[in-house]
Amino acid sequence: EIVLTQSPGTLSLSPGERATLSCRASQSVGENYLAWYQQKPGQAPRLLIDDASRRATGVPDRFSGSGSGTDFTLTISRLEPEDFAVYYCHQCATSPLTFGGGTKVEVK
Amino acid sequence: EVQLVESGGGVVQPGGSLRLSCAASGFTFGDYAMHWVRQAPGKGLEWVSLIAGDGSNTFYAESVEGRFTISRDNSKNSLYLQMNSLRTEDTALYFCTKASGWTSDYWGPGTLVTVSS
């Protein structure tokens, strides 16, 4: 099983600041089958990024994904008030599919 | 517009069974794999199971292997999860998701399963 470790667990930032979230895999996720999701309280997760760096439809360009192999990053260039949420990385390279434990981006 | 609506959740005693359903619309259902993903109260996301578009292949998390069965009826645009031998640790909000490749690109609102005596 591929274990995904997200860091930090919590990120305290102010609107307008840059957020950098990390996701490290215990083994390579192959051809970058790595996705990022945003989840707000009481809502289902929303796909932000797939294939490590491709923004999903309708996702603002302040969100970007990078990385390959075992190290991946989600960057939010300038935090908007609606961006404060929990973010999960997810590997869909091999079964069992797995999620990281999440990073909470909170208002400082 | 893609829509996924789960149903069938509820309260069940340990050892009991429950069958979840997911009604899909807005896309050609049989062309896409589908997943079940769950989230225990206050916890993170856990992938549960995947079924190919034609139902020919299925995959399970180790935690549910042998107890849960995923299936689909493409004539009814519906996905199912039969859950047997339920345990308290199966308590969670269960999401149905549409796959693009294997990535979950659309999610339903979820249905809550509570396993408690």
Side-chain angles (χ1 to χ4, degrees), chain A:
Chain A
E1 170 177 320
I2 297 177
V3 176
L4 299 179
T5 302
Q6 291 188 241
S7 61
T10 302
L11 202 49
S12 298
L13 295 168
S14 301
E17 288 193 295
R18 181 184 187 89
T20 304
L21 288 66
S22 174
C23 176
R24 177 163 291 176
S26 60
Q27 56 188 280
S28 176
V29 297
E31 295 182 18
N32 295 330
Y33 293 124
L34 192 287
W36 289 93
Y37 296 90
Q38 176 194 67
Q39 188 178 32
K40 298 179 181 179
Q43 295 185 17
R46 170 197 180 194
L47 177 65
L48 296 176
I49 301 285
D50 66 7
D51 291 346
S53 61
R54 183 174 65 185
R55 269 190 302 276
T57 303
V59 174
D61 61 8
R62 63 180 180 273
F63 291 92
S64 62
S66 63
S68 64
T70 60
D71 288 293
F72 299 88
T73 300
L74 174 70
T75 302
I76 310 172
S77 59
R78 287 178 56 86
L79 282 165
E80 297 288 340
E82 61 267 28
D83 299 336
F84 292 92
V86 179
Y87 293 83
Y88 295 95
C89 60
H90 173 51
Q91 69 82 15
C92 0
T94 61
S95 179
L97 282 63
T98 49
F99 288 89
T103 291
K104 181 179 182 180
V105 178
E106 65 175 22
V107 178
K108 185 175 182 180

Side-chain angles (χ1 to χ4, degrees), chain A residues 35 37 39 44-45 47 50 88 92-97 99, chain B residues 35 37 39 43-45 47 59 95 102-105 107-108:
Chain A
Y37 296 90
Q39 188 178 32
L47 177 65
D50 66 7
Y88 295 95
C92 0
T94 61
S95 179
L97 282 63
F99 288 89
Chain B
H35 297 274
V37 177
Q39 187 169 35
K43 303 297 184 182
L45 300 169
W47 173 77
F59 301 89
F95 297 102
W102 277 12
T103 302
S104 292
D105 58 354
W107 297 59

